[in-house]
Amino acid sequence: AQSVTQLDSHVSVSEGTPVLLRCNYSSSYSPSLFWYVQHPNKGLQLLLKYTSAATLVKGINGFEAEFKKSETSFHLTKPSAHMSDAAEYFCVVSLSGNTPLVFGKGTRLSVIA
Amino acid sequence: DGGITQSPKYLFRKEGQNVTLSCEQNLNHDAMYWYRQDPGQGLRLIYYSQIVNDFQKGDIAEGYSVSREKKESFPLTVTSAQKNPTAFYLCASSLTGTGDDGYTFGSGTRLTVV
């Protein structure tokens, strides 16, 4: 079975401090991994994706994620949080074969001024 | 610009009525998906289609129906059999059925039962 677990349902940081959103996955295959962001009442926007190339992936708006196979993790980081980063973030796994992506339950990021 | 369009943005339904949510894409994507989002529950897959004239049930298909007569369109009907239809509905598409390049999402339709 495959799954993706976002370890925190809510993370709160101060503006200008680092962001860490944690994601672990389980898979029998070499997965493709994604992070999406959703602002209130909006659709999801792709932040970044890992598809078996470089293990450190850079995305939009200063976010990056590192694929660690030994830890089955794909944590999302940003060096300095901005107020506009406040949103819901989803970690997503794609497995080989024609099966839909598997979504984590999301982490709500709050940024305090 | 290529993209995926959902309409309407807001929809109100009376008890016992069927309603249809529209989803159109001009990305030439093969696969399309419908998700339901409720607070604190993430995204739950309703139906998906990897090719025209074919679709599969997702995790919560009961009370919903879809069609895929054209590559560009994947409308979702919420039937009166859906007991709790009030939710935010998201449509997505991907280049292929594997989704290896990720999904492109529409901006969503918020359905409220009145």
Side-chain angles (χ1 to χ4, degrees), chain B:
Chain B
D1 286 338
I4 183 165
T5 302
Q6 290 187 243
S7 62
K9 190 173 178 63
Y10 299 96
L11 187 57
F12 298 89
R13 191 194 92 170
K14 293 183 179 179
E15 295 275 358
Q17 280 185 338
N18 293 354
V19 289
T20 297
L21 283 60
S22 171
C23 179
E24 303 276 336
Q25 55 99 358
N26 61 2
L27 300 165
N28 200 32
H29 284 178
D30 284 338
M32 298 185 74
Y33 311 83
W34 274 106
Y35 288 89
R36 170 180 173 141
Q37 188 174 28
D38 297 280
Q41 296 199 42
L43 274 68
R44 292 185 290 170
L45 182 64
I46 304 173
Y47 269 98
Y48 64 103
S49 168
Q50 295 178 324
I51 195 169
V52 176
N53 291 321
D54 188 36
F55 49 83
Q56 289 77 40
K57 292 182 179 180
D59 301 316
I60 56 164
E62 185 175 352
Y64 299 96
S65 66
V66 293
S67 63
R68 188 86 188 278
E69 297 176 0
K70 298 187 301 182
K71 188 174 186 177
E72 304 79 19
S73 179
F74 192 42
L76 173 73
T77 297
V78 184
T79 75
S80 56
Q82 170 50 237
K83 300 303 181 190
N84 184 22
T86 294
F88 190 53
Y89 291 86
L90 286 161
C91 181
S93 67
S94 62
L95 185 61
T96 68
T98 65
D100 283 346
D101 289 329
Y103 292 172
T104 300
F105 281 86
S107 56
T109 292
R110 185 164 296 281
L111 174 63
T112 303
V113 174
V114 296

Side-chain angles (χ1 to χ4, degrees), chain A residues 30-33 49-58 65-69 74, chain B residues 100-101:
Chain A
S30 295
S32 295
L33 294 155
K49 64 180 179 182
Y50 166 77
T51 53
S52 72
T55 56
L56 182 62
V57 183
K58 294 189 183 298
E66 186 172 8
F67 173 67
K68 292 187 176 180
K69 187 174 181 178
F74 190 57
Chain B
D100 283 346
D101 289 329

Side-chain angles (χ1 to χ4, degrees), chain A residues 55-97:
Chain A
T55 56
L56 182 62
V57 183
K58 294 189 183 298
I60 61 172
N61 301 333
F63 285 94
E64 62 182 36
E66 186 172 8
F67 173 67
K68 292 187 176 180
K69 187 174 181 178
S70 60
E71 299 176 10
T72 61
S73 69
F74 190 57
H75 301 333
L76 182 71
T77 60
K78 182 174 181 177
S80 175
H82 191 273
M83 295 298 290
S84 61
D85 294 328
E88 189 93 14
Y89 291 81
F90 293 93
C91 182
V92 185
V93 178
S94 171
L95 306 174
S96 60

Side-chain angles (χ1 to χ4, degrees), chain A residues 14 20 26 36 56 95 98 108 112:
Chain A
S14 297
L20 170 64
S26 64
Y36 281 83
L56 182 62
L95 306 174
N98 288 334
R108 181 166 61 90
I112 303 166

